[in-house]
Amino acid sequence: MPKTPNQSPGSGMKDGVRWYCFCCIFDYLNFYSMFSFKEIAQVTGGMLVQCPGAYPVQHLLTDSRKIANAVSSVFFAIRGEFHDGHQYLPELYEAGVRQFVVEDASGLMDLSTYPEANFLLVSNSVQALQRLAAYHRRKFHIPVIGITGSNGKTIVKEWLAQLLSVSERVVKSPRSYNSQIGVPLSVWQINESHTVGVFEAGISQPEEMAHLASVLQPTLGVFTNLGPAHDEGFASTAQKLEEKLKLFEHVQQLVYCADQATVREAVQQAGLPGFGWSTQGHPSAQVQLNVLEMHQGKTKVRFRYVGQGQDLVLPFSDEASLENALHCLAALLYLGVKPEELPIRFERLAPVAMRLERKEAINGCYVIDDTYNNDLAGLRIALDVLGQQARRGPKTLIVSDLLEAGVEEKALYQQVAQEVTARGVDRVIGIGDIITRHQDLFPAGSEFYLGTDSFLGQLRSETFRQETILVKGARIFQFEKIVAALQQQVHGTVLEVNLDALVHNLNYYRSKVPAQTKIMVMVKAFAYGAGSYEIGNLLQFHRVDYLAVAYTDEGVALREHGITLPIMVMNPSPDSFLKMQQYSLEPEIYSPDLLHRFLDYFPEKSPQTPAIHLKLDTGMHRLGFDDTELEEALAVLDQVPHVRVQSVFSHLAGADEALYNDFTREQIARFRQMSAKVEQGLGYSVTKHILNSAGIVRFGEEAAFDMVRLGIGLYGVESSGSEQSSLQTVGQLKTTVSQVKSIKAGDTVGYSRRGIATTDKQTATIAIGYADGYDRRFGNGVGEVLINGQRAPIIGNVCMDMCMVDVTGLDVRAGDEVLVFGEELPLTELAARIGTIPYELLTNVSTRVKRVFFNA
């Protein structure tokens, strides 16, 4: 690989990274010597407000909730759309953080309350972070590969890192951290042991890429492709392409696909030094490729470069993977990897697991599955996810040897042991000969095994109980065997829940209301089928203000899983008041009778008397006080000052349809009048809320009041239909093909012989039925599923545990994955087919269907 000698930094340290979507959490120590706070001031151009201490600068922190090494952390107080880091300064100082970069000196209040803290005042904390990372990057004269495009950035980055690690010490972005904060904190990892960097960069609006280019300073560029992602942030596709190409203004070469005409022309017009590849014989491409054959998931290609040709087998056959692999091939050829070395490098190329999954496990345990790779950066990220889990019980880490080329073993495992201790892990199980050699560095009681099989050989079901278990291992250790041993028996049908998409949807709805408006989220009905604990835990992490459940037992289950947010119970019964008191749940009171029965249970002032929420009927005519009943309720409440009314609310009957706009506004006006009467009668202000998901979209500006209630929209269904494209799909229901059959014309399929073959056909039996929540109305051609990207109609009746589909003409085998609903087969379409609503399809997914939760 062509490169210049690595220049050792004049100062620095070494550590790992952590990052969270929207929260921007990173924690990476990457120097070996000290880096002073005063040097940060010089680099960023900020003003030192106070600097009494000489603390080590090791960790860059942007989230107050995740502190691993407080005294060596620098907290950047960032103002985001939904979060402001300045408000967490007191709790950070209390936790031991002593170095702060802030934008608002007034937020410091009295500096005497922070006597030991260093404060740096900057105009923009994100830009200060970027300047610091750019300064750090300039100290290292190593090749840096910068990757951008619409799709495939993370895959190409991971594969290049795999392919180069045979001969290089590679530093790369952790997972898909390519944002304005993710890029500088990825670059912060570079140290003198590294010989090449591989980083990705993503943008969503103009003017962003110039900042990332100044941080990355790439020497080689890779442009993956141009697609519709983030189109909404740009005036045109041409503008988006122009902005993305700004990453490559100073590269030595830019690898791209010359067959993409728009990209090719833009590269040429920008005068960039293009290094193209082509499968269509385009004359501008330096690397010419021919796809010779595809067989059993592999693709044989022939490439020609600088007059030489060679055949190469790529371990993929799908179009996207092939494109990503060819980008990598072109990059390696440019970097000087010998053609004869390519076959063995690509033979070892492994698929990239792009998600960290949570799964139910044996004996009430919960497994976090990260059996993808294992380096210090990835371990820290996974440990942070482990720390987010609010479930009661021990937290356990099963970890393999770390793959950190160029790092001295003892120093590496000392750092691992410190991270484990700092994050409160209760139990460590190390697997591998290297980590076992350093077992004396770990807390007493830790267990060590030389290999995965030796661990599994002694595993007993009673070994783990009521634990949250992080399984984090490099691929060569085959930790998927451990996950399989720990996981509950999995029914062939699973509901995959994308937690990143859920957070996206949450923030989309937050953007529709004023910043001070509170958010109550509906997690009733098992969180609309998605899984109430996992969703509740994520919402708690992202600081929503309230959760709402239908029944008391749902709230109790959340409390027993460690959820501490306020919870409103929408259908309380008098026989559950004791449980509500015990578990700090707050009832919705919707009638005079229920109010009296509540007061009968709590006749006198008590520290445990729950706050209540008054439901008003403004036109829905389902539950709630009407005007006359409200007068009576206020008179009663006036006599019991120990009962606190937390909120007053109502429900819109037709907020999702423009046809009912006038009626909706009548409801809003009536609610305004009735809630004013409540506050006057009580003599104090209460939280007021009327908007549901559709109401937030259509009436957020005029009727947000103090709080809004988010329901189906969080789960990816925009019920008014006007802004569905702004939401992301949260749940995908998948199953598998059990068997494929050939049947003759005239044969029948299924119960009551309803499926009739008019011609010779092939059918596939799939492992889902009405007991799993797949509605019988989908039978006989009404419903369709997706197998290998192609639609297949249901043939015959839907059975209890399975159904049959017509796969005539499709290449389908037993074991193939089947999409029942998801991004490519939307809930809205399926609901329309049987004349129902998406709510019903979601909530009907049976609890016997396993939920798998992941971050993309």
Side-chain angles (χ1 to χ4, degrees), residues 492-711:
T493 303
V494 297
L495 180 65
E496 297 181 346
V497 181
N498 184 337
L499 298 178
D500 285 345
L502 188 140
V503 172
H504 167 89
N505 297 340
L506 171 65
N507 286 322
Y508 164 75
Y509 281 98
R510 274 178 162 159
S511 72
K512 291 292 184 180
V513 296
Q516 70 274 15
T517 304
K518 296 179 180 180
I519 303 281
M520 174 184 283
V521 178
M522 302 291 119
V523 291
K524 60 183 180 176
F526 203 49
Y528 289 65
S532 44
Y533 155 65
E534 291 82 0
I535 303 303
N537 185 57
L538 186 71
L539 295 170
Q540 181 166 281
F541 183 81
H542 285 280
R543 293 189 169 108
V544 303
D545 301 280
Y546 255 93
L547 301 179
V549 296
Y551 298 104
T552 301
D553 56 353
E554 294 176 312
V556 169
L558 288 171
R559 289 283 186 253
E560 289 180 339
H561 280 90
I563 304 301
T564 58
L565 284 173
I567 299 174
M568 181 176 79
V569 179
M570 304 180 73
N571 292 283
S573 60
D575 59 3
S576 69
F577 285 155
L578 175 60
K579 285 285 187 185
M580 298 185 73
Q581 182 186 48
Q582 291 172 336
Y583 288 90
S584 300
L585 306 175
E586 302 172 8
E588 168 189 319
I589 303 296
Y590 51 77
S591 70
D593 176 66
L594 187 59
L595 176 60
H596 284 294
R597 298 184 72 173
F598 177 82
L599 294 176
D600 288 343
Y601 198 89
F602 300 100
E604 298 177 355
K605 186 173 183 179
S606 164
Q608 282 88 30
T609 301
I612 65 173
H613 300 259
L614 293 182
K615 176 74 171 285
L616 308 180
D617 185 358
T618 59
M620 180 78 165
H621 299 320
R622 186 172 62 180
L623 293 174
F625 292 93
D626 60 26
D627 285 305
T628 303
E629 294 169 333
L630 183 59
E631 293 281 358
E632 176 187 344
L634 291 174
V636 171
L637 289 170
D638 187 53
Q639 303 302 312
V640 285
H642 66 282
V643 175
R644 175 81 184 182
V645 177
Q646 185 65 32
S647 84
V648 58
F649 70 105
S650 189
H651 198 78
L652 298 175
D656 54 342
E657 297 185 61
L659 174 66
Y660 302 119
N661 280 359
D662 289 343
F663 184 75
T664 297
R665 289 193 170 94
E666 287 177 15
Q667 280 195 270
I668 293 170
R670 191 173 182 195
F671 176 69
R672 202 181 301 273
Q673 294 169 356
M674 294 178 75
S675 59
K677 184 183 295 185
V678 169
E679 290 184 320
Q680 183 179 11
L682 295 174
Y684 55 85
S685 297
V686 298
T687 299
K688 298 173 286 295
H689 48 110
I690 192 172
L691 296 185
N692 54 9
S693 295
I696 294 170
V697 171
R698 302 189 63 244
F699 300 94
E701 293 185 5
E702 61 186 275
F705 291 100
D706 306 304
M707 186 159 68
V708 294
R709 299 188 305 278
L710 179 56

Side-chain angles (χ1 to χ4, degrees), residues 73 145 178 182 256 271 278 334 338 341 408 443 468 535 553 631 640 651 719 758 777 779 788 790 806 812:
S73 294
I145 304 172
N178 54 38
Y256 72 100
S278 173
Y334 169 72
K338 295 178 181 179
E341 294 181 11
E408 194 273 323
T468 304
I535 303 303
D553 56 353
E631 293 281 358
V640 285
H651 198 78
S719 52
T758 55
R777 289 173 288 179
N788 298 328
Q790 300 185 76
D806 185 347
V812 176

